[in-house]
Amino acid sequence: MTHHVPEGLPGELKHYIGGELVDSVSGKTFDVLDPVSNTPYGTAAAGRAEDVDRAVAAARQAFTGGPWPRMPPRARARVLNKIADAVEAQDKRLAELETFDTGLPITQALGQAQRAAENFRFFADLVVAQADDTYQVPGRQVNYVHRKPVGVAGLITPWNTPFMLESWKLAPALASGCTVVLKPAEFTPLSAGLWAGIFADAGLPDGVFNLVNGFGEEAGDALVKHPAVPLISFTGETTTGQTIYRNCAAHLKGMSMELGGKSPAIVFADADLDAALDSTLFGVFSLNGERCTAGSRILVERPVYDEFCARYAARAADIVVGDPHDPATEVGALVHPEHYEKVMRYVEIGKSEGRLLAGGGRPAGLDTGNYVAPTVFADVPPTARIFQEEIFGPVVALTPFDTEAEALALANDVKYGLAAYLWTSNLERAHTFAQTVEAGMVWLNSHNVRDLRTPFGGVKASGLGHEGGYRSLDFYTHQQAIHVSLGPVHTARFGTARKGQS
């Protein structure tokens, strides 16, 4: 198989601090691999506490002394729209780099670039249109809410759709007037390096955006623990989220966390099976299965279970696995050899926990690279590890149910609660079930299509807080209550009772 390598790849990826590309203070770097050849294509600066200190100092200076937090919303929105224009103008280049670095199929990477541009447009509109509350006590008082940016925001992003998820945090943070330090995932730092040029060309003042590459245990840890960073927004794995939660406690930091998932797709016998098949196949095998909202547990009502399993497995076996840069590819290469080994361990575990219907190993003819054939297990009991644990790859568990109550119990019988997908033509059941399933987001007769105005977040082990729309602006701003008197204020006059006594 040919291996596409984009032209003009940077040999080294530096930090971006105070408007300058810089090396680590220590001079240390780490190799970055592409997931098709699993060989290094370059190095990235390995950030540590001293590099984070420099980035936070630059961000703090830009916040306290720079123009960005004090600009009118419309002025910030103009910059955000220029950023969106630039992202759209180079979407093909972005997608090419993202596909090379992550192994995502090129057609799906292109969609991520377009979504990233829309995030900046959306928050540009929102910050201009935003209104805050005013309360009047006629003739006596006016109370109003003054919204102001919190300060330096620490943004820690994952490797599955890096550029898009960076935009998801950067856009509302910048729209709110915060300055930021971004720590991108060490597996996929390539596209993050594009932000520096995009932001500078759009007129973002130096120091407003800073980037520190490095490992989570070093650069990420230092950012979370830094006393001058009052906010941490993190997307990633639940165990890491728990560590960040503990480390934020010392400074009582604001946290927004979007963590893991093991989301159920519940298919009732009265569902449109063709549509349910299309959606549940896409829901777990798009983005190589490396998505937090993947419908990786499919619960199917008994009367249609055998038919659904047979048709699902046949479709899964025909999914095109191959070169991520080929537009015909539906599943590409997993992001990194470490992650590939983790997914393959779960595939082997699954062979003793369920009935293998498709996949189960490396696809024929793909002897190198992190390729896993789309893998389907049926008859998976709720006690199985592949039912309970997040795999984050192209692996799905199918489980039958007999009653609506059993379906709900199975859906809720994991520690996660990010998304749920429900397929039924019974309107009453759809709403009742949706409202009782333990998930932050539910899609009825649909896969993951989300309006940016709606809240995104999970319950249980899937996260803390919500992003999306005004909820994102709420996170990056303080809402300060200011009370103004309009006339004489009656106050009890302490200390006057003895006046006039002998």
Side-chain angles (χ1 to χ4, degrees), residues 177-224:
C178 288
T179 59
V180 304
V181 177
L182 170 67
K183 206 298 283 183
E186 56 266 30
F187 285 174
T188 55
L190 183 58
S191 61
L194 296 171
W195 288 118
I198 291 170
F199 287 159
D201 291 347
L204 193 72
D206 289 347
V208 174
F209 166 76
N210 305 274
L211 181 151
V212 177
N213 286 302
F215 295 98
E217 302 88 334
E218 295 175 347
D221 186 63
L223 185 58
V224 167

Side-chain angles (χ1 to χ4, degrees), residues 221-384:
D221 186 63
L223 185 58
V224 167
K225 291 176 177 174
H226 203 290
V229 179
L231 290 177
I232 296 291
S233 179
F234 170 72
T235 299
E237 191 264 333
T238 296
T239 307
T240 308
Q242 290 169 323
T243 301
I244 290 173
Y245 198 142
R246 283 191 292 271
N247 290 335
C248 282
H251 296 287
L252 298 174
K253 297 189 183 217
M255 284 178 292
S256 178
M257 293 207 201
E258 197 264 281
L259 306 175
K262 192 72 179 177
S263 299
I266 303 99
V267 181
F268 284 93
D270 64 353
D272 178 338
L273 279 195
D274 291 332
L277 278 162
D278 287 345
S279 182
T280 52
L281 281 154
F282 181 83
V284 75
F285 296 125
S286 58
L287 304 183
N288 298 346
E290 297 167 326
R291 59 187 305 162
C292 51
T293 53
S296 54
R297 296 181 297 138
I298 303 178
L299 314 176
V300 185
E301 195 170 9
R302 187 86 60 180
V304 294
Y305 178 72
D306 289 342
E307 178 192 350
F308 188 92
C309 285
R311 293 177 65 188
Y312 194 96
R315 289 273 296 274
D318 285 341
I319 287 173
V320 179
V321 184
D323 177 8
H325 289 275
D326 184 342
T329 293
E330 294 170 316
V331 169
L334 299 191
V335 69
H336 191 273
E338 286 178 24
H339 186 62
Y340 170 81
E341 293 297 336
K342 173 195 164 184
V343 172
M344 290 301 280
R345 284 196 298 273
Y346 274 110
V347 169
E348 292 308 309
I349 290 166
K351 290 175 182 177
S352 66
E353 293 185 326
R355 178 164 55 97
L356 180 65
L357 298 185
R362 181 181 282 278
L366 295 173
D367 298 328
T368 58
N370 306 320
Y371 291 105
V372 176
T375 298
V376 181
F377 292 105
D379 309 341
V380 179
T383 52

Side-chain angles (χ1 to χ4, degrees), residues 35-210:
V36 172
S37 73
N38 278 332
T39 57
Y41 66 80
T43 61
R48 292 183 172 174
E50 59 269 25
D51 305 297
V52 170
D53 284 344
R54 292 166 68 200
V56 173
R60 185 71 191 152
Q61 174 60 35
F63 185 77
T64 57
W68 188 251
R70 283 157 280 282
M71 287 168 66
R74 176 69 72 189
R76 289 202 298 267
R78 284 196 185 102
V79 174
L80 294 181
N81 276 311
K82 286 180 184 175
I83 292 166
D85 291 342
V87 171
E88 278 184 338
Q90 55 186 295
D91 60 352
K92 288 183 173 57
R93 173 66 171 171
L94 274 168
E96 181 188 32
L97 294 179
E98 199 82 310
T99 290
F100 175 74
D101 205 20
T102 65
L104 290 179
I106 187 70
T107 51
Q108 295 168 42
L110 190 59
Q112 300 298 320
Q114 292 161 349
R115 184 74 162 182
E118 178 56 24
N119 279 327
F120 279 92
R121 284 206 202 292
F122 174 80
F123 283 105
D125 291 343
L126 203 63
V127 77
V128 171
Q130 181 174 259
D132 281 307
D133 294 325
T134 302
Y135 306 97
Q136 293 194 54
V137 183
R140 293 168 57 191
Q141 198 174 57
V142 172
N143 309 315
Y144 68 93
V145 176
H146 170 58
R147 189 183 288 264
K148 56 185 181 180
V150 173
V152 179
L155 312 178
I156 303 175
T157 50
W159 45 254
N160 56 335
T161 54
F163 194 82
M164 194 281 288
L165 281 170
E166 289 152 12
S167 77
W168 200 343
K169 298 180 189 302
L170 287 165
L174 296 175
S176 298
C178 288
T179 59
V180 304
V181 177
L182 170 67
K183 206 298 283 183
E186 56 266 30
F187 285 174
T188 55
L190 183 58
S191 61
L194 296 171
W195 288 118
I198 291 170
F199 287 159
D201 291 347
L204 193 72
D206 289 347
V208 174
F209 166 76
N210 305 274

